[in-house]
Amino acid sequence: MWKFRDVISILDFTREDLEHLFSVTDKTLERSLDVGRPLDGKIVATAFIEPSTRTRLSFEAAAKKLGADVINLEPHLSSMAKGESLTDTLRMLDDYADLIVIRSPYEGSAKHAADVCEHPVINGGDGSQHHPTQAMIDLYTIRSLKGRIDGLEVGVVGDLKYGRAASSFIYGLTKFNVKRIWLISPEPLSPRPELMDRLRSMKVDIVKTEDLEEAIENVDILYVTRIQRERFPDPAEYEKVKGSYVITKKLLSRAREGLKVLHPLPRVDELSNDVDDTPYQAYFIQAKLGVPVRMALMGLILGAF
Ligand code: CP
């Protein structure tokens, strides 16, 4: 089901695949004091040509907890700085490692890496549409906190056009039977046509709105995302939408009982620090769950579980 698979898009996985991953993650957490070293002798390579804190370090922590060694490509210290192509660089990593995790600003880089490499490739985020392992963590977090994903009303707020975490999360929700998805963004940051087509073809009940307050009163999960300055082709377009939404403790006082706020992080100014100490806060739990989910993922792909 998972052995030697590439992880390029959340859409490549069935609900059954995801439920199996979640169940292995449960076991990983249950055995957290004694996971053993099933990947002893394996090498995981990280090739991050775009900044990251959570993805790179949680993959590294997860690999080490499983007993694997980790090698990191540092683009500015590698021969890429002398002009070596990404393709040749990937060929080298494929020679040295058993599994490659790639992050890149360029759409399609992970698929390209999977085509070049014989070993499995995991997309740690490429371009503005796909960040599949983030979506797996997001879905697992909801399942952990709410006991289910089916039947929930989920709001996604922020940059739904360029935000790859938001897009992947919404694609991931279409694998389950959520009650309704609220898409909350300024019009220029509405989801791309292909994502809207997917929602319509899966007959998902959607509300597209700019009214954050109305959404907050109705949702069980509020998934907040940063408006990503670095992905706007035109800086003037960013200036028009920056600071469109700020989630505060006061705003959340209108929320349904039990609402949980998720955010893939990093945050800038769209999510106030005053939410951190409230029962709404789930984003630090979500970040922490990155390690066991990625342990389960790599263990499954490398045949340890
Ligand atoms: N959520 C996420 O992808 O964070 P990083 O960019 O820090 O990896």
Side-chain angles (χ1 to χ4, degrees):
M1 193 187 238
W2 280 91
K3 204 168 174 187
F4 298 129
R5 280 183 79 171
D6 298 310
V7 179
I8 308 302
S9 160
I10 190 83
L11 287 173
D12 299 337
F13 297 88
T14 63
R15 176 180 180 141
E16 289 68 36
D17 291 333
L18 295 172
E19 283 176 345
H20 185 53
L21 174 74
F22 298 159
S23 128
V24 173
T25 305
D26 288 342
K27 290 185 186 124
T28 304
L29 279 168
E30 283 157 21
R31 293 183 295 140
S32 59
L33 292 178
D34 180 24
V35 291
R37 296 173 60 84
L39 297 189
D40 201 6
K42 301 284 186 195
I43 295 179
V44 172
T46 65
F48 278 52
I49 55 173
E50 192 182 60
S52 165
T53 296
R54 277 147 294 275
T55 310
R56 186 168 75 82
L57 296 180
S58 64
F59 264 114
E60 187 164 344
K64 289 184 173 177
K65 276 176 179 271
L66 294 172
D69 282 321
V70 179
I71 54 175
N72 293 304
L73 178 83
E74 305 281 356
H76 61 291
L77 296 176
S78 78
S79 288
M80 289 181 81
K82 296 182 257 176
E84 187 166 34
S85 68
L86 178 62
T87 304
D88 281 358
T89 305
L90 288 165
R91 284 196 181 103
M92 299 306 109
L93 295 181
D94 196 32
D95 285 343
Y96 306 151
D98 299 282
L99 174 72
I100 296 138
V101 186
I102 181 170
R103 164 166 293 190
S104 153
Y106 310 114
E107 207 127 350
S109 299
K111 172 74 174 69
H112 175 67
D115 290 342
V116 169
C117 298
E118 287 183 11
H119 290 104
V121 169
I122 298 179
N123 183 358
D126 68 342
S128 56
Q129 290 287 280
H130 295 293
H131 193 351
T133 66
Q134 181 65 52
M136 290 167 189
I137 294 161
D138 302 338
L139 294 167
Y140 183 77
T141 304
I142 294 173
R143 174 186 173 275
S144 301
L145 296 175
K146 291 286 184 188
R148 65 195 167 103
I149 299 167
D150 293 336
L152 297 178
E153 289 206 40
V154 181
V156 189
V157 58
D159 181 353
L160 310 186
K161 182 177 182 183
Y162 298 115
R164 62 190 172 206
S167 296
S168 286
F169 174 59
I170 297 167
Y171 280 129
L173 289 175
T174 67
K175 303 282 175 179
F176 294 83
N177 298 312
V178 292
K179 183 174 173 195
R180 189 169 294 123
I181 303 178
W182 293 69
L183 303 168
I184 311 141
S185 71
E187 189 53 37
L189 296 182
S190 294
R192 291 187 188 187
E194 57 268 35
L195 178 50
M196 294 305 292
D197 288 347
R198 165 85 186 175
L199 292 169
R200 289 191 194 103
S201 75
M202 298 299 290
K203 300 201 181 341
V204 180
D205 187 351
I206 50 173
V207 180
K208 210 163 158 291
T209 182
E210 297 190 30
D211 188 343
L212 177 60
E213 293 189 12
E214 187 197 3
I216 282 178
E217 287 170 11
N218 286 283
V219 297
D220 303 292
I221 299 291
L222 185 66
Y223 190 94
V224 185
T225 61
R226 179 172 65 94
I227 297 184
Q228 308 199 359
R229 178 201 293 261
E230 68 274 22
R231 304 217 189 280
F232 281 71
D234 176 2
E237 198 191 345
Y238 171 75
E239 290 299 322
K240 279 189 220 151
V241 293
K242 73 174 184 188
S244 298
Y245 298 106
V246 182
I247 312 302
T248 61
K249 183 176 175 178
K250 183 159 176 266
L251 198 61
L252 292 170
S253 63
R254 310 167 67 102
R256 263 185 190 178
E257 176 80 25
L259 172 118
K260 294 293 177 193
V261 176
L262 273 70
H263 190 312
L265 303 174
R267 65 176 155 182
V268 185
D269 52 13
E270 68 285 352
L271 177 57
S272 168
N273 288 353
D274 72 4
V275 181
D276 293 0
D277 296 325
T278 70
Y280 306 117
Q281 185 272 111
Y283 33 93
F284 294 132
I285 300 168
Q286 180 187 3
K288 193 169 178 181
L289 288 172
V291 174
V293 172
R294 288 176 169 134
M295 285 171 76
L297 181 68
M298 287 188 287
L300 283 167
I301 291 172
L302 291 177
F305 300 137

